[in-house]
Amino acid sequence: MQLHNLGQFVLDNDGTVALNEDGKLIGNYEQRHIFESAKVWTGQTGASRTGNAEELDWNIYSYKDSLTIRRTTDKDWFPKLDLTGGYVGDTFPLCSDLPKKHWLKKGAQFTHLAGSSEPVYHTDDPIWVGDPEIYRLTLDSESPLFKKLCSPKNPHSLPQTTLTSGNGIAKFNPQRGVPTCQGSNVKCDSVNLLKGRIAESNRPNTIDGCVDGSLAGTVSPEESVQRIVVKSTKKGRSLRGGEPATIHATVVSKSFYDRVDFYYSASVITPNWIYITTVAPKKGEFEVNLPRPNFWQISFNLPKCDDVNGCKVAVRVVLRSGRDALDETIAGSSKPAQPCGLDDYDDNDDLAFDILPSKRPQDLCDFQINVELDESLSCHKNECLLDTVSVVEVVPGVYYEYIPRACVHLQVDAHPLTVFSGYRIDATMCANRKIPSAMSTCCGRYENRNPEDESRNDWADVLCEFRKELVTFDGNEERCALWGRKACEPLRVGPFSQWTGHCLHHKCCEDVKADKRRLEDNNYQWTTAECSIQIKVNPEGLVAIVHKPSYSHPTFGTNSPPEVQSHVHPEKTISYFNVHWNNGGTEEAGKVNFPNVPENGCDGGEVMGEHCLCDTDLVETIVFNYVPKKDEALAKMKVGFFDLDIFDVGTFVGVNVTNDKDVVSVFKKNDAGEDYTTETVFRVDNGGSYFFLKNVQSTVRACDGRTFSFRNPPSFFDPVSPHLYSAYQEMKAYVDHVDSNDNTPRFVCTTLLKQFGFSNPSPDHVLNCIMAYKEGMYTWRDSKREQSVSFGRGKRGDLRAIMGAIHLHSDSLSPTTDLDPGAGGVREPQDLLMNLMRSLEFQTTQHHKRIDGLLSTWTLEALGQSAYGTSNQFGYFQHDYSPPGPHTEAALVAPESVLFSMGYVTNTQNGFYALIVHGLSECDGGFGFPWKRGIVSQCGDTDGSTDHTAGLLSFVPKGDTSSGSNVVDQLVQLLTGSGRLHEFNRELIERAYEEKYLSDGSEEALKLAQMLLISTPEARTRNIAALTGEKRLPNILSQVHDDEEYSAVVVVFLDGGLDCLNMIVPDPLDCPNLYEEYKEERGESNHLTPEELIKIDASTSQQPCASFGVNMHLAKVADMYTKGEAAFIAGIGYLPKFVNKTNYQKEPLAQVFAHPTMRDEAARVNAKDGTGVLGRIADMLSKTHSTSKIAVDKDNLFLLGDSAFGQTVNVMPSGSLNKFFRINSTESENIESLIEQVNSESSETSSLHAELWSQSLIDAKYNTKRYIEMLSDIGDSPNIPKSILGRRLNTVSKMIKVRSERGVTKDFFVVEDPSYDHHFEGKTKLHPKFDALDAALNGFRQDMKAIGTWARTTVIVVTEFGRSISPNAGGGTDHAWLGHALLLGGGIKGGTIHGNHPSSYRSDNAYNIGRGLMIPHVPHEALWSAVAQHVGIKDDEMEHVLPNMASFDCDLLSEADLYKKGKDEVLF
């Protein structure tokens, strides 16, 4: 995606690439930006499959829906660099600046959860869904928020019922065995029916036989439930299903350890008791209430009722005696062990009553999917107790989720407090006291109820209003005060034996969790203990945040202090991120500007191996003390602020307020004395909306000397309680950041224009699109009618505007554009296949309804657009590919034409023909799977069935099907998309259709017409072909073979970046010091042990070691080295000139860590004309020799030469060659002849793209036949394995075996071996690749020896770059610079390591630029100067082959350096 539509390189406004003063492309980003971007996007996974569309799919994930994020622990929570020198999250407001009750302020957003209570943007335990005991915030119908979310219907209808009114006084029901209220009532009162326990009337008064304790008490009245009253909270309204109610229970309590449990059941016949809460009552006879002055009642929602007759429900109150202090029923983290008191003094009583049918949500409210508050609201009742919300229940069964405003957290906070997880205080970390990061924690005693013992003051309760409720520290203090408690530094958290506080209120204590291994299973709680934040600095200056809590208690039950959570632990953290270090007085080149062990001894910080652990000091200063200009404010201010409309009136007052969009407005806090403080807010006009910035610069000073500092970086994640919504907000911020880049409209527009057929769009067309992208609006004017039509809504990137600018520009509408031979472009094969299947109405057969398994896995490989067959990870084609010949001469590109090679043309066309004739199957080169279903495999409909076919093209022309003109007209519109078809081709296809119609009917005639049309240049390109009708002949090169002059160069390119440092390694015995450095830097899982090495002699190689070890998985290579047939070039890589760590950043280098750039540089070797080094060598040799350039499976830049020499690259398939047009028919020859005729010769005014296609098809057809005949007696080699690389080298071997028949003297081959980009599990993944490489190279060697060409063959194994010496967190290695090359051949001067192997892996090495990245010592030119000389390049030709060789002079290698026979001089 080229870093998500920004584009790899800087473009000008005409869509062409911009170049720097050295003629190099200017990159938009570097490797570190790729890493940072990966951190933003990591953690996404497939959404659950869609039941109505994907029920037949094997996979559990959806192919249709967007990716989703399931766990925040899969995300990186720390700061990430943006692309412009700042951070993702810059200019976003701080979460700590949110006003109180921000979820009720103007602009707050809520989204409907569609019948579920499971949130999308917050994390809940999945088992909560549908659990009635999970207490969520339920909105009161009088709440202003309720009215906004419900949008009440007025009037609304009530459900019909047969239930009559009652008097609300319970009578004993002998059938149920409990007091019961009949009819609809505002309340139900047991009166005196439950009084007492031993003396209780009709005991036990329970509907399920739960019995009371049998021992009499010593006081009178004894422990008992005296009375139960259930009331509707709706004044004057009867109890109704789904609506809130309260339970009023009067009990007699004897002990502070007594407690009262509350339950309800939706049925009195088969009771299922749902727990409500537990209360520690006062001693004596009292109505049970919660120990807080407001909201003291016990409330719950009545169960849902769908019966027109009403529903009989029940509540239960259990008084559990605390006489036995060790009673196990006291223990439990969430609720009592069972809904029935079992001890001798317990009392259990039920009250049954009728409730009215529930109101239907759709009758009550007009729900909207998304609701944004258009005004700030006041809080209502218990809403006023909350700092934030997640899921709210509006009416029974209908939930909305609050989506918090996007905001960020700075990594270093001035005054953090300690928070902990686990009831024993297991783990601790620091939290910003202004952020709702933790649950409430309250200590202290009550009067006349538990806890009342002074010694229990540091035993804490969790007092939540809904499950997993988070509060700020101030909110925690308010919550504690409400309950008569106080914030504290607790010894532990209840409940547990002998502890009966109110931790069970709403089952709050069930959320007290700690897990040192699974971060998501930690819920933190507030304390009053101070905390400090440190940083850990690695040798490259990356920073990890470390928390240093100050907690006075050990983990409960131990003598050990609570452990710091792992992601902020000084020794366990692996979460390092980039910061922008200030100079700190270290201006000297090569000196670091951060705490570093070898250079400044950590500046007084603690040395931890190679890392520095430093205290921090936060300094906040103002940015401006005046009204800045708009551009100045945007450039210097990095901290945003919220829209002032969400704050209470009077919070801010104007200092300088203006409506001028070019002038900044200034506001200050109402209670601020000065105008310009760190709390001052600046308002900037942002194109019709306002943008707010805070006048603060937050700087972190590190270590004791305070020499080093950096800007306090932002992150969307709270490290204490990271939320899913933060992940989505970060991703959106990153997308918006990329979208705002100046290059994005240029790249998107040029890319879309190419997709719509303009491979070389005009500058005005590109600019037209760019302006539409920026403005979000495009207006097209019809000059003839003097009318105009506008597209878009004025928002940047509006696709309506962009499409209008592309399709309504004069280049799209003017017929003269079609007359330009360079206009239009080439269609992608994948696009053409989709066009064919859609426009010709592909339908799956009845037996085949799966959405997977339609197209075979081979299809995209055949089309040249497979996932692992791309030229780079940014697209299927090189953006600047220009086919040799007229395209190059006219400076036109046609990236998709890279697939106009023999193998791709043959495979693609055969697949299209098979689809038309047989449907989607494997027959005759078809793209389908072999769905035979147990029948004998036959192709097409020859067996009268389609049991083996996944689907068919079902298009039937409209109108007269006997008319060729009518049918072809329709097909042309469908398959060319424009109606373009030259008259010669139109007449030919119409005539062929009508003849076939008369002989075989409409169905066969239609298939013929479709096959011919899909072969035309108009179907394969996007312009007009001007055909002459003359027979087009294949390009046949007349070449003479001279076997004595024959030589071959085979480049094996290991794509992805080979880990060369695990290819050859210092010998552990002969070079122990360097091996130990290697072992230490590589890490435990990534280094090679002595047992994994094969010793080789390097005593004559002038290397830092007299012997090295070759990876044991390259055993055959090691053997070839020992036999003098293999050599290494150590320390090779891209270099425009020699550099070291002190000056490399000052040189105009290409992007040295980017795959596409380094892949290109490895092939081009510093050539500015875009050609490849093998292509240039072949160009020069073609003047005197018969040369051939062959790439296997796909074209390769190594072979691209100057078009003036006319040397084309032949792309051979690695599998068996397929005949062009494989369909077996009596008319095959006639059809093939017609295919040739629709690609006849063209005039000079014909489209260049069309001409290229037609010639490519004719050449592919001719060469396929020629090579099939040539290779008919050449089978696959028994020596070479069937791996990807093996199959490709087998093709090379075959071509060398028929070198005489081909008439070639100088052969140049390129094969690629993919998938060496091992960022994870490096050694584990590398070794199987080496096994395959070793076997393939050895098999190829055996083949060449057998035919006597091994001495004349040079095999060069190279990669785009090496990998870092240091491992990454995934057990792999990252992109680096320095690499090694491997040379093989019978003529190679083997047993030698050329170049310069690193003499040290340490960070103080002059070529180590940090993070394990080494600068190469040997340029690519050194290798190629010797190879070019060996194959026959002369002195005066060398500058053309290696245009940058003068930068390295005598440091290049001569032929005698690499070969046993050769000149001992470097050619200039």
Side-chain angles (χ1 to χ4, degrees):
M1 292 177 65
Q2 304 214 15
L3 207 64
H4 325 298
N5 294 331
L6 171 68
Q8 185 184 356
F9 301 108
V10 174
L11 302 178
D12 291 325
N13 273 334
D14 61 358
T16 59
V17 291
L19 302 175
N20 63 16
E21 58 186 13
D22 295 307
K24 296 282 188 182
L25 299 171
I26 305 169
N28 275 318
Y29 49 87
E30 301 171 2
Q31 184 192 30
R32 61 176 180 163
H33 296 123
I34 297 174
F35 289 160
E36 299 296 293
S37 172
K39 293 178 184 178
V40 173
W41 296 108
T42 189
Q44 296 187 87
T45 186
S48 299
R49 66 182 180 185
T50 306
N52 62 343
E54 298 169 304
E55 70 277 4
L56 294 176
D57 191 349
W58 284 313
N59 206 320
I60 63 172
Y61 296 117
S62 171
Y63 293 107
K64 299 175 178 293
D65 297 319
S66 303
L67 294 175
T68 188
I69 303 169
R70 301 180 187 277
R71 305 191 321 164
T72 56
T73 47
D74 292 335
K75 300 293 297 182
D76 181 290
W77 301 341
F78 294 94
K80 297 149 187 92
L81 297 178
D82 65 15
L83 300 168
T84 55
Y87 298 97
V88 178
D90 277 348
T91 70
F92 276 80
L94 303 180
C95 299
S96 56
D97 284 334
L98 276 167
K100 291 185 175 182
K101 307 296 180 291
H102 52 84
W103 50 282
L104 292 173
K105 301 299 183 181
K106 182 180 179 181
Q109 295 182 341
F110 294 81
T111 185
H112 196 296
L113 291 179
S116 173
S117 61
E118 184 175 13
V120 176
Y121 300 99
H122 296 76
T123 304
D124 280 355
D125 193 323
I127 65 173
W128 284 14
V129 177
D131 186 346
E133 291 186 354
I134 300 303
Y135 195 87
R136 298 186 183 278
L137 176 65
T138 299
L139 299 181
D140 187 88
S141 60
E142 299 302 317
S143 162
L145 180 60
F146 172 89
K147 295 174 182 177
K148 291 290 184 181
L149 299 182
C150 168
S151 189
K153 294 181 178 179
N154 191 17
H156 64 264
S157 60
L158 293 175
Q160 292 183 344
T161 181
T162 62
L163 199 63
T164 58
S165 297
N167 60 12
I169 303 300
K171 294 181 180 180
F172 180 74
N173 185 327
Q175 184 180 2
R176 303 296 178 204
V178 296
T180 303
C181 291
Q182 301 289 344
S184 64
N185 298 288
V186 174
K187 68 175 182 176
C188 178
D189 189 345
S190 70
V191 196
N192 295 322
L193 295 179
L194 301 175
K195 201 162 187 179
R197 177 167 52 85
I198 299 296
E200 182 180 85
S201 301
N202 304 306
R203 63 189 303 243
N205 283 304
T206 56
I207 59 178
D208 56 3
C210 172
V211 299
D212 297 333
S214 59
L215 293 183
T218 59
V219 297
S220 180
E222 59 194 351
E223 298 105 309
S224 62
V225 177
Q226 300 287 87
R227 183 181 182 186
I228 303 175
V229 181
V230 178
K231 294 181 180 179
S232 169
T233 63
K234 306 292 185 181
K235 190 174 182 179
R237 298 185 193 174
S238 295
L239 296 163
R240 183 180 293 277
E243 292 190 348
T246 56
I247 305 177
H248 304 259
T250 302
V251 303
V252 176
S253 171
K254 178 180 183 299
S255 166
F256 282 127
Y257 294 107
D258 290 350
R259 80 281 315 158
V260 182
D261 306 325
F262 294 82
Y263 302 87
Y264 74 88
S265 173
S267 171
V268 297
I269 299 173
T270 55
N272 176 34
W273 296 107
I274 305 301
Y275 175 73
I276 300 173
T277 192
T278 294
V279 179
K282 299 178 182 179
K283 290 171 66 175
E285 183 173 357
F286 291 99
E287 180 178 334
V288 179
N289 58 20
L290 296 172
R292 53 186 188 179
N294 298 316
F295 318 113
W296 53 267
Q297 296 173 328
I298 312 301
S299 60
F300 73 110
N301 281 344
L302 292 166
K304 186 179 180 181
C305 176
D306 294 325
D307 192 331
V308 69
N309 299 314
C311 299
K312 189 78 70 177
V313 300
V315 296
R316 170 170 290 178
V317 178
V318 179
L319 175 70
R320 286 184 291 147
S321 171
R323 287 174 184 256
D324 185 354
L326 298 180
D327 187 343
E328 286 304 313
T329 60
I330 299 174
S333 64
S334 61
K335 63 179 182 179
Q338 61 279 315
C340 179
L342 303 180
D343 286 348
D344 292 335
Y345 298 96
D346 293 352
D347 191 15
N348 307 282
D349 287 317
D350 300 345
L351 177 65
F353 53 95
D354 290 318
I355 58 174
L356 291 168
S358 301
K359 297 175 183 176
R360 298 193 310 167
Q362 61 267 38
D363 294 334
L364 291 171
C365 304
D366 183 15
F367 294 112
Q368 304 299 310
I369 295 175
N370 296 303
V371 176
E372 180 175 322
L373 301 186
D374 56 1
E375 60 180 335
S376 293
L377 307 176
S378 59
C379 62
H380 180 74
K381 292 187 176 179
N382 59 338
E383 295 173 6
C384 300
L385 306 178
L386 310 177
D387 285 326
T388 189
V389 296
S390 55
V391 174
V392 297
E393 187 176 29
V394 181
V395 296
V398 177
Y399 300 89
Y400 274 82
E401 182 179 9
Y402 170 56
I403 306 174
R405 292 171 169 84
C407 58
V408 295
H409 306 263
L410 298 182
Q411 294 304 289
V412 178
D413 178 31
H415 303 291
L417 293 174
T418 298
V419 291
F420 69 89
S421 65
Y423 76 93
R424 302 188 318 148
I425 323 297
D426 295 278
T428 55
M429 56 187 302
C430 301
N432 186 323
R433 62 179 70 206
K434 296 181 180 180
I435 304 296
S437 299
M439 300 188 299
S440 72
T441 313
C442 303
C443 300
R445 59 192 291 266
Y446 295 119
E447 292 184 6
N448 202 26
R449 75 169 78 204
N450 186 279
E452 53 84 31
D453 190 339
E454 291 282 0
S455 65
R456 305 285 176 84
N457 281 352
D458 50 7
W459 290 12
D461 272 339
V462 180
L463 303 171
C464 68
E465 289 301 309
F466 57 87
R467 287 291 299 278
K468 209 172 174 180
E469 180 199 5
L470 300 178
V471 296
T472 64
F473 180 72
D474 286 349
N476 182 58
E477 289 194 314
E478 292 172 5
R479 180 66 51 80
C480 294
L482 177 69
W483 286 74
R485 314 294 288 282
K486 61 182 179 181
C488 57
E489 188 176 343
L491 184 67
R492 63 161 296 160
V493 177
F496 45 91
S497 294
Q498 303 183 45
W499 176 246
T500 57
H502 287 85
C503 206
L504 297 189
H505 179 60
H506 291 161
K507 295 174 64 175
C508 302
C509 273
E510 188 164 320
D511 297 320
V512 178
K513 294 181 180 179
D515 192 316
K516 297 174 184 176
R517 292 174 298 177
R518 290 172 54 87
L519 296 181
E520 66 265 38
D521 287 342
N522 288 272
N523 295 327
Y524 285 89
Q525 298 176 238
W526 283 108
T527 78
T528 54
E530 296 295 323
C531 201
S532 58
I533 297 177
Q534 299 176 303
I535 59 169
K536 188 176 181 181
V537 187
N538 78 1
E540 286 75 50
L542 275 68
V543 165
I545 295 296
V546 172
H547 288 186
K548 188 178 180 181
S550 300
Y551 206 76
S552 58
H553 300 304
T555 295
F556 190 79
T558 75
N559 293 320
S560 302
E563 190 168 334
V564 178
Q565 190 57 267
S566 57
H567 63 294
V568 289
H569 191 284
E571 296 174 352
K572 297 180 181 179
T573 181
I574 58 172
S575 301
Y576 290 90
F577 55 89
N578 287 281
V579 299
H580 298 297
W581 289 98
N582 299 319
N583 283 332
T586 55
E587 301 287 350
E588 184 180 346
K591 292 290 185 180
V592 300
N593 60 343
F594 53 84
N596 182 268
V597 176
E599 292 209 11
N600 50 56
C602 294
D603 191 39
E606 179 183 346
V607 176
M608 297 182 67
E610 291 187 330
H611 297 71
C612 296
L613 183 65
C614 299
D615 292 333
T616 61
D617 180 28
L618 187 64
V619 178
E620 293 190 342
T621 56
I622 64 171
V623 183
F624 297 107
N625 59 2
Y626 57 89
V627 180
K629 295 181 179 179
K630 180 177 178 178
D631 290 344
E632 187 182 11
L634 292 173
K636 292 185 177 181
M637 303 181 79
K638 304 299 181 183
V639 179
F641 201 74
F642 297 100
D643 191 319
L644 299 185
D645 282 350
I646 74 172
F647 292 86
D648 293 340
V649 175
T651 304
F652 287 90
V653 295
V655 174
N656 178 71
V657 182
T658 176
N659 292 323
D660 189 333
K661 65 179 182 179
D662 295 320
V663 179
V664 175
S665 294
V666 183
F667 300 85
K668 70 172 183 177
K669 279 281 188 73
N670 194 17
D671 55 358
E674 300 179 7
D675 289 345
Y676 295 94
T677 68
T678 57
E679 298 294 323
T680 300
V681 177
F682 293 77
R683 188 182 71 188
V684 180
D685 187 281
N686 189 35
S689 60
Y690 287 130
F691 193 69
F692 295 86
L693 297 165
K694 192 176 182 182
N695 189 34
V696 64
Q697 172 73 48
S698 182
T699 302
V700 179
R701 298 191 300 187
C703 290
D704 292 344
R706 304 293 188 251
T707 303
F708 302 110
S709 63
F710 57 87
R711 177 161 69 86
N712 202 358
S715 171
F716 284 87
F717 293 93
D718 173 8
V720 178
S721 295
H723 295 286
L724 286 177
Y725 62 75
S726 301
Y728 289 106
Q729 289 170 352
E730 182 182 65
M731 289 190 292
K732 183 180 185 304
Y734 187 81
V735 169
D736 290 343
H737 170 66
V738 173
D739 177 61
S740 67
N741 190 285
D742 288 340
N743 207 67
T744 299
R746 302 166 188 166
F747 175 75
V748 170
C749 282
T750 53
T751 302
L752 286 176
L753 281 162
K754 290 177 181 179
Q755 290 294 319
F756 284 102
F758 299 92
S759 289
N760 301 274
S762 69
D764 187 65
H765 203 171
V766 175
L767 183 60
N768 205 44
C769 176
I770 290 172
M771 295 307 297
Y773 188 109
K774 291 180 177 180
E775 296 171 2
M777 183 71 70
Y778 176 75
T779 301
W780 177 71
R781 293 175 176 81
D782 185 341
S783 57
K784 293 182 179 180
R785 300 179 181 178
E786 296 184 353
Q787 295 177 338
S788 63
V789 181
S790 294
F791 302 86
R793 298 178 180 176
K795 185 177 180 180
R796 181 183 174 93
D798 192 304
L799 277 176
R800 301 174 189 83
I802 295 169
M803 291 298 101
I806 290 174
H807 294 297
L808 297 177
H809 187 266
S810 59
D811 286 359
S812 297
L813 300 177
S814 174
T816 59
T817 303
D818 288 340
L819 301 178
D820 180 0
V826 174
R827 295 181 70 180
E828 298 180 24
Q830 187 179 137
D831 169 53
L832 192 56
L833 175 60
M834 293 299 104
N835 176 203
L836 188 64
M837 295 177 73
R838 287 177 177 172
S839 63
L840 298 186
E841 301 174 16
F842 175 82
Q843 294 290 328
T844 56
T845 50
Q846 288 299 313
H847 70 271
H848 191 98
K849 293 298 183 182
R850 304 180 68 91
I851 64 166
D852 63 335
L854 285 176
L855 295 173
S856 73
T857 52
W858 172 80
T859 300
L860 295 182
E861 186 178 333
L863 297 176
Q865 295 183 264
S866 64
Y868 299 105
T870 60
S871 62
N872 56 59
Q873 75 269 42
F874 299 113
Y876 294 115
F877 321 104
Q878 290 176 249
H879 70 281
D880 58 351
Y881 177 74
S882 180
H887 281 80
T888 304
E889 293 167 6
L892 298 175
V893 300
E896 300 84 356
S897 70
V898 73
L899 300 179
F900 283 1
S901 61
M902 180 183 69
Y904 289 133
V905 169
T906 300
N907 289 337
T908 300
Q909 290 303 116
N910 281 344
F912 291 156
Y913 301 148
L915 176 62
I916 291 168
V917 173
H918 304 312
L920 191 56
S921 73
E922 65 170 342
C923 299
D924 293 334
F927 296 140
F929 276 111
W931 292 99
K932 299 184 181 70
R933 301 297 179 186
I935 68 168
V936 177
S937 176
Q938 297 188 47
C939 288
D941 285 337
T942 57
D943 63 347
S945 74
T946 56
D947 287 349
H948 54 276
T949 302
L952 299 166
L953 302 178
S954 64
F955 170 74
V956 176
K958 298 177 181 178
D960 184 4
T961 57
S962 67
S963 167
S965 174
N966 172 53
V967 173
V968 171
D969 274 348
Q970 294 178 54
L971 290 177
V972 169
Q973 286 294 335
L974 293 172
L975 296 180
T976 70
S978 60
R980 298 186 183 106
L981 187 65
H982 190 266
E983 241 357 90
F984 175 83
N985 278 349
R986 183 182 291 272
E987 292 174 3
L988 187 151
I989 298 172
E990 287 176 3
R991 185 168 59 251
Y993 174 87
E994 290 176 351
E995 291 174 358
K996 191 69 172 175
Y997 180 88
L998 292 175
S999 63
D1000 296 309
S1002 61
E1003 186 174 339
E1004 294 302 314
L1006 181 62
K1007 290 179 180 179
L1008 175 61
Q1010 291 169 348
M1011 285 192 288
L1012 295 179
L1013 256 173
I1014 207 67
S1015 305
T1016 63
E1018 290 91 343
R1020 295 305 302 263
T1021 64
R1022 299 182 189 273
N1023 206 347
I1024 292 179
L1027 304 178
T1028 66
E1030 297 179 12
K1031 183 178 178 64
R1032 184 182 293 273
L1033 300 176
N1035 287 320
I1036 304 174
L1037 296 178
S1038 177
Q1039 295 184 313
V1040 179
H1041 174 73
D1042 182 350
D1043 211 48
E1044 290 187 2
E1045 289 282 322
Y1046 182 79
S1047 64
V1049 176
V1050 182
V1051 170
V1052 177
F1053 189 80
L1054 306 184
D1055 187 34
L1058 170 67
D1059 189 359
C1060 303
L1061 298 178
N1062 267 8
M1063 181 165 68
I1064 55 173
V1065 174
D1067 182 67
L1069 295 177
D1070 292 352
C1071 202
N1073 292 337
L1074 191 55
Y1075 176 79
E1076 287 301 317
E1077 280 190 24
Y1078 156 82
K1079 178 180 177 181
E1080 182 180 338
E1081 296 293 331
R1082 272 266 119 154
E1084 189 62 33
S1085 63
N1086 247 357
H1087 79 278
L1088 296 178
T1089 65
E1091 293 76 22
E1092 295 175 300
L1093 297 173
I1094 301 172
K1095 188 173 183 177
I1096 59 172
D1097 179 37
S1099 57
T1100 61
S1101 300
Q1102 298 182 343
Q1103 297 296 337
C1105 302
S1107 60
F1108 282 78
V1110 174
N1111 192 307
M1112 65 180 292
H1113 295 270
L1114 293 173
K1116 298 298 184 182
V1117 169
D1119 182 60
M1120 284 184 255
Y1121 179 94
T1122 302
K1123 292 178 178 177
E1125 298 177 10
F1128 295 97
I1129 300 181
I1132 196 170
Y1134 156 75
L1135 283 173
K1137 62 186 292 188
F1138 288 118
V1139 294
N1140 57 36
K1141 70 190 296 182
T1142 64
N1143 64 9
Y1144 82 96
Q1145 290 181 313
K1146 300 177 182 178
E1147 299 297 332
L1149 302 173
Q1151 292 178 293
V1152 294
F1153 306 120
H1155 286 291
T1157 308
M1158 288 300 97
R1159 188 184 290 112
D1160 289 355
E1161 290 297 343
R1164 289 173 174 164
V1165 191
N1166 281 308
K1168 297 182 180 180
D1169 62 359
T1171 58
V1173 63
L1174 282 181
R1176 297 194 297 273
I1177 292 174
D1179 286 344
M1180 292 294 99
L1181 293 179
S1182 68
K1183 295 184 291 184
T1184 55
H1185 296 80
S1186 298
T1187 62
S1188 171
K1189 300 185 292 184
I1190 294 178
V1192 182
D1193 282 339
K1194 63 177 181 177
D1195 205 352
N1196 193 283
L1197 181 58
F1198 270 97
L1199 297 168
L1200 181 63
D1202 188 334
S1203 62
F1205 289 87
Q1207 297 290 299
T1208 59
V1209 178
N1210 214 342
V1211 180
M1212 295 289 295
S1214 59
S1216 59
L1217 278 168
N1218 292 317
K1219 175 182 178 294
F1220 187 90
F1221 199 81
R1222 295 171 58 184
I1223 295 172
N1224 187 17
S1225 167
T1226 56
E1227 297 188 21
S1228 292
E1229 288 189 14
N1230 178 53
I1231 296 173
E1232 288 189 60
S1233 175
L1234 290 171
I1235 291 171
E1236 290 182 4
Q1237 291 178 56
V1238 297
N1239 287 284
S1240 65
E1241 286 286 359
S1242 57
S1243 68
E1244 292 182 355
T1245 60
S1246 182
S1247 162
L1248 295 181
H1249 307 302
E1251 168 67 20
L1252 180 64
W1253 162 252
S1254 292
Q1255 192 61 53
S1256 298
L1257 181 140
I1258 299 299
D1259 289 346
K1261 187 172 182 296
Y1262 168 78
N1263 286 323
T1264 299
K1265 181 178 180 181
R1266 173 172 172 251
Y1267 281 125
I1268 288 175
E1269 294 173 352
M1270 195 181 296
L1271 298 172
S1272 59
D1273 296 329
I1274 308 294
D1276 289 341
S1277 169
N1279 301 316
I1280 304 176
K1282 303 299 183 184
S1283 61
I1284 293 176
L1285 178 60
R1287 292 197 303 270
R1288 291 173 177 175
L1289 284 176
N1290 183 60
T1291 299
V1292 174
S1293 175
K1294 287 181 179 181
M1295 299 309 292
I1296 293 176
K1297 289 173 183 176
V1298 295
R1299 61 195 181 281
S1300 177
E1301 292 86 340
R1302 292 166 48 231
V1304 175
T1305 304
K1306 300 292 183 183
D1307 251 337
F1308 300 95
F1309 301 91
V1310 178
V1311 298
E1312 292 189 13
D1313 192 16
S1315 305
Y1316 280 86
D1317 195 12
H1318 298 153
H1319 287 282
F1320 301 92
E1321 303 175 25
K1323 196 167 93 169
T1324 303
K1325 291 186 175 179
L1326 178 64
H1327 287 173
K1329 296 294 295 182
F1330 271 174
D1331 289 333
L1333 174 65
D1334 194 52
L1337 293 174
N1338 183 59
F1340 180 73
R1341 167 180 173 259
Q1342 290 177 320
D1343 262 25
M1344 295 300 98
K1345 280 197 166 189
I1347 62 174
T1349 57
W1350 183 234
R1352 289 171 286 167
T1353 301
T1354 302
V1355 179
I1356 303 169
V1357 182
V1358 292
T1359 187
E1360 63 262 47
F1361 46 55
R1363 305 194 76 82
S1364 60
I1365 181 66
S1366 304
N1368 58 29
T1373 51
D1374 294 324
H1375 301 182
W1377 194 350
L1378 173 145
H1380 303 325
L1382 169 64
L1383 277 73
L1384 307 169
I1388 292 293
K1389 185 185 290 184
T1392 304
I1393 301 177
H1394 301 282
N1396 296 289
H1397 188 282
S1399 58
S1400 172
Y1401 299 103
R1402 301 293 191 197
S1403 59
D1404 56 358
N1405 183 301
Y1407 293 92
N1408 189 329
I1409 59 175
R1411 294 187 293 125
L1413 310 178
M1414 310 286 286
I1415 298 175
H1417 303 155
V1418 182
H1420 290 306
E1421 283 86 348
L1423 161 64
W1424 289 109
S1425 65
V1427 174
Q1429 189 178 4
H1430 177 70
V1431 297
I1433 295 298
K1434 300 174 183 177
D1435 292 18
D1436 59 348
E1437 297 171 332
M1438 192 62 80
E1439 186 176 358
H1440 175 81
V1441 172
L1442 298 174
N1444 191 47
M1445 63 183 299
S1447 297
F1448 305 105
D1449 299 332
C1450 295
D1451 290 295
L1452 303 177
L1453 295 174
S1454 69
E1455 183 183 15
D1457 289 327
L1458 292 190
Y1459 293 89
K1460 295 170 183 174
K1461 298 177 181 179
K1463 297 180 181 179
D1464 190 15
E1465 61 177 329
V1466 176
L1467 301 184
F1468 292 99

